[in-house]
Amino acid sequence: MGTYLYAITATGHPLRLSGLDGVGDPAAQLRTVRTKDLCAVVSDAPPELRAKRRDVAAHQGVQECLLADGAALPMRFGLVGTDDAQVTAVLEQDRDSYLRRLAEVDGCREYHLKVARDEDDLLREIMRESAEVRRLNDRTRQNPGAYDDRMALGELISQEVQVRQERDRSDIVARLAPAAVRAADAEATKSHFLSVSFLVEREKATAFSEAVHEEAGQRGDTYTFSLHGPLPPYSFV
């Protein structure tokens, strides 16, 4: 059957699980697997586990309740151990690492930031600042059959885009980092050149949101900032 994992806490956590449902249909009963210093909140794993809305909501609901009462390391949806004994062995084996993580995320939540930039605005900037791009662009317009020049122009623009996006990524993260405990890069998407998670202390959440708003305002309408949170600190577990 397997053991389904929701989160890891220290043994001193209140662990108020009464009234909470686990994943599965019917809902699995929550229980704990304990060592001297750590506790894993678990249940029996359902025979067929899928990311259905009800199960995802149950998974997140357990984590939200735990985080409301203290530090917890939220596990990703769908994490299943062989049995309780294996979970116990992992808690004992990685005890020091889990305790360090718990200390780090205590009193913190995750905020995920995505940033996009208008492509036309970026291309105009490249055209304005790169003499070589302007030269190749003029040559291809005058001679549409110049295949080598078109290839060179495309490669150069691609390089310039990467350089500017990397510069923007570094600048934005550097400006926001002082308002956070840590930052963790996520994989960028086709539409967003920056995707990063910040671990933020709860009492500094307003200051962090204001810092993001200020950064967005300084960059203008050609940049789109999307901030999501507070979230369980998945990226820092």
Side-chain angles (χ1 to χ4, degrees):
M1 179 177 294
T3 299
Y4 186 94
L5 282 84
Y6 299 85
I8 295 173
T9 72
T11 53
H13 193 286
L15 294 170
R16 290 187 284 197
L17 304 176
S18 178
L20 296 178
D21 290 332
V23 298
D25 186 14
Q29 183 176 358
L30 299 175
R31 63 177 187 276
T32 59
V33 174
R34 296 174 179 268
T35 64
K36 178 182 178 181
D37 300 299
L38 296 167
C39 176
V41 177
V42 305
S43 70
D44 289 342
E48 295 184 3
L49 180 64
R50 298 176 182 174
K52 297 179 180 179
R53 179 178 299 179
R54 185 247 167 240
D55 286 337
V56 172
H59 178 87
Q60 294 175 342
V62 172
Q63 296 176 340
E64 290 290 348
C65 287
L66 292 171
L67 286 164
D69 287 335
L73 303 181
M75 300 293 105
R76 295 286 184 181
F77 178 85
L79 183 61
V80 178
T82 303
D83 51 30
D84 288 8
Q86 185 196 33
V87 174
T88 301
V90 172
L91 293 179
E92 292 175 341
Q93 175 182 323
D94 296 329
R95 167 190 174 277
D96 293 343
S97 176
Y98 287 134
L99 289 175
R100 283 195 300 269
R101 291 294 189 191
L102 283 166
E104 181 179 52
V105 304
D106 190 14
C108 298
R109 300 301 293 272
E110 178 174 331
Y111 288 79
H112 187 73
L113 176 65
K114 291 183 177 181
V115 182
R117 184 179 180 183
D118 180 78
E119 292 183 1
D120 290 339
D121 179 68
L122 178 55
L123 291 175
R124 284 193 295 269
E125 178 185 288
I126 293 171
M127 187 71 69
R128 184 173 62 250
E129 296 181 356
S130 174
E132 182 62 11
V133 167
R134 292 196 302 272
R135 186 186 70 81
L136 287 171
N137 185 61
D138 290 341
R139 289 184 61 174
T140 57
R141 291 177 64 183
Q142 295 167 5
N143 184 9
Y147 176 79
D148 290 343
D149 286 340
R150 290 206 311 273
M151 289 291 294
L153 177 61
E155 291 175 359
L156 181 57
I157 289 176
S158 178
Q159 293 171 7
E160 292 288 345
V161 168
Q162 291 180 10
V163 167
R164 283 163 172 74
Q165 288 183 340
E166 182 56 40
R167 181 186 63 197
D168 283 347
R169 273 195 294 266
S170 298
D171 288 348
I172 292 171
V173 172
R175 291 176 187 274
L176 298 178
V181 176
R182 274 185 61 200
D185 286 333
E187 186 175 353
T189 67
K190 290 182 179 180
S191 55
H192 297 88
F193 69 84
L194 183 147
S195 181
V196 60
S197 289
F198 293 91
L199 187 65
V200 180
E201 296 176 9
R202 284 178 177 171
E203 59 268 25
K204 296 181 179 179
T206 300
F208 178 78
S209 296
E210 291 175 349
V212 172
H213 182 74
E214 181 179 355
E215 181 68 18
Q218 290 178 352
R219 291 184 176 268
D221 294 338
T222 59
Y223 287 79
T224 302
F225 282 61
S226 300
L227 183 65
H228 302 278
L231 306 167
Y234 291 115
S235 300
F236 303 93
V237 175

